Amino acid sequence: MKGPLSGLLVADFSRILAGPYATMLLADLGADVIKVEAPGGDDTRSWQPPVRDGISTYYLAVNRNKRSIALDLKDPTDLAAARELARRADVLVENFKPGGLARFGLDYETVAEGNPRLVYASISGFGSGPRGAELPGYDLIVQAISGLMSLTGDPGGEPFRAGISVFDVMAGLHATIGVLSALHLRSESGRGQHVEVNLLSSALSGLVNQSSAYVAGGVVPERMGNSHPSLFPYETLPCADGDLIITAGNNGQFRKLVEVLGVPELADDPRFDRNEQRTANREELRPLLVERLRTRTRTEWFRDIIAAGVPCGPINTVAGGIAFAEDIGLDPVVTAGGIPGVRNPITFSDSAASYRLPPPSLDEHGGELRKWLME
């Protein structure tokens, strides 16, 4: 069964995370992705530990289903190969410093002259404008500048970064959406276009209700630990042997929750009968819920609260999260050439993601690709 993007050729001039994540998603769905690396290789090859068989697991996470060619763009022969690849490609993805490929004749305007059907995606930290192009685009910096870190951590405590490079991943997803949208338009117009994504714009979009609180409501959000500014209960609550996440997102779920907890009268208490009231009076409601939750273990409450139709869950390690996905039949782990990775999250009824190639070693396919590009 062919993937939905079979037949597309993607020239991947990106490195680190946002670009490689986007191109791996395209590759999983059938695109032929050629990973162009500098002679020293993608930086994440050396980002270790942890490792598997001496290879960085960071690199392994975002580079399956690709073929690698190492090209020194300062070398005339290698530069000619890079230009030929761009001429043949349907999609080119790059995250050089804005304008950085122009000196090699690999910028969008130059490449599009010989390949007007090309969809050219650029990912940067702060956009290509004169005031943003010079700024370094690392995820941690964007987490700080965007305001995310001001929202992460305990009230009154220090700000914290998210546990992953969340805006690199988000920008990679936005780049993928942009590429697919441009390909759809190309099917009608016959022409490609330049798609630009930057981490800060992805961050501000991804802050959703928190950025809206300021933009639309004039409210500057603050750290609330695991609490939610607009919902209660929607946080960690202590049971007899540890915390459980409980999220009663509407009045019906709250009524079911308090019935399971054995305090059904709380659903009709005027202090708690609507979400607005529960949120405003959370300091009164929380101890009433905790008093009941402390009488039993997390596992016991999880079983009964879920059975009642109220969302809740334990706080797992990553290992526990993978195990839970396995338990409910999501089959989260796949192998590509013997290398395990996490399954592409998209399921299609009439096509499928595939896991054809393991993450390549540096220049693993250089010989065959050079020969092909010279034909």
Side-chain angles (χ1 to χ4, degrees):
M1 185 180 297
K2 291 186 176 181
L5 299 182
S6 294
L8 284 178
L9 176 62
V10 178
D12 183 5
F13 283 80
S14 68
R15 65 269 195 212
I16 313 295
L17 180 52
Y21 183 65
T23 55
M24 185 182 73
L25 295 178
L26 299 175
D28 288 349
L29 302 182
D32 179 10
V33 176
I34 297 176
K35 182 177 179 66
V36 179
E37 301 185 70
D42 190 311
D43 288 352
T44 60
R45 290 183 181 276
S46 65
W47 287 12
Q48 47 184 269
V51 298
R52 179 186 176 87
D53 299 330
I55 304 173
S56 161
T57 58
Y58 200 120
Y59 170 79
L60 295 178
V62 290
N63 284 290
R64 68 176 172 233
N65 285 334
K66 303 176 185 180
R67 295 185 286 166
S68 170
I69 182 171
L71 296 175
D72 181 353
L73 298 183
K74 297 178 181 178
D75 178 87
T77 301
D78 283 1
L79 179 56
R83 288 173 173 171
E84 179 62 18
L85 176 60
R87 188 187 69 81
R88 299 187 187 192
D90 295 289
V91 176
L92 187 152
V93 179
E94 61 92 10
N95 60 354
F96 281 68
K97 180 179 177 180
L101 285 176
R103 63 191 176 114
F104 302 111
L106 289 168
D107 54 299
Y108 171 69
E109 289 76 12
T110 302
V111 174
E113 289 180 6
N115 184 3
R117 290 178 54 82
L118 178 69
V119 172
Y120 188 112
S122 297
I123 303 172
S124 65
F126 298 93
S128 59
R131 300 180 65 180
E134 297 299 319
L135 299 176
Y138 284 88
D139 182 272
L140 179 58
I141 296 172
V142 177
Q143 289 197 32
I145 289 176
S146 67
L148 175 66
M149 290 180 66
S150 76
L151 303 173
T152 307
D154 290 326
E158 294 187 4
F160 283 93
R161 68 178 288 269
I164 63 165
S165 296
V166 60
F167 295 138
D168 269 329
V169 173
M170 197 173 292
L173 291 170
H174 289 161
T176 304
I177 294 168
V179 164
L180 296 177
S181 300
L183 287 171
H184 173 71
L185 183 60
R186 188 185 77 169
S187 68
E188 299 178 354
S189 70
R191 293 190 60 84
Q193 61 180 298
H194 192 188
V195 176
E196 294 189 69
V197 171
N198 70 80
L199 270 65
L200 182 57
S201 292
S202 288
L204 296 178
S205 172
L207 287 175
V208 287
N209 60 299
Q210 302 284 26
S211 52
S212 179
Y214 174 69
V215 172
V219 175
V220 178
E222 298 178 351
R223 284 189 294 281
M224 296 182 63
N226 291 316
S227 298
H228 193 289
S230 308
L231 291 172
F232 187 85
Y234 194 97
E235 60 181 62
T236 55
L237 292 170
C239 302
D241 61 346
D243 290 339
L244 186 68
I245 296 286
I246 299 177
T247 61
N250 56 52
N251 295 335
Q253 289 178 350
F254 179 70
R255 182 174 293 277
K256 292 176 181 177
L257 172 65
V258 294
E259 287 174 353
V260 171
L261 296 181
V263 282
E265 65 276 8
L266 294 182
D268 297 313
D269 188 312
R271 297 173 296 170
F272 314 132
D273 61 349
R274 293 178 294 117
N275 176 66
E276 301 93 314
Q277 296 301 106
R278 291 191 293 275
T279 302
N281 298 306
R282 68 174 74 212
E283 297 306 319
E284 297 176 55
L285 176 55
R286 193 175 195 276
L288 300 177
L289 301 178
V290 169
E291 182 181 7
R292 296 297 304 152
L293 288 165
R294 286 193 183 278
T295 64
R296 301 174 70 197
T297 67
R298 289 173 295 177
T299 301
E300 292 170 328
W301 282 124
F302 174 59
R303 180 188 63 236
D304 291 350
I305 293 172
I306 282 288
V310 179
C312 71
I315 302 173
N316 289 327
T317 63
V318 173
I322 296 289
F324 184 82
E326 290 173 340
D327 287 344
I328 63 174
L330 293 181
D331 300 324
V333 178
V334 295
T335 58
I339 303 296
V342 174
R343 177 181 298 278
N344 187 294
I346 305 170
T347 300
F348 296 87
S349 62
D350 293 323
S351 56
S354 61
Y355 310 97
R356 309 175 300 281
L357 298 171
S361 59
L362 179 61
D363 203 42
E364 179 177 346
H365 309 92
E368 66 187 64
L369 289 171
R370 288 182 181 86
K371 181 180 179 181
W372 172 67
L373 291 169
M374 292 174 62
E375 293 176 352

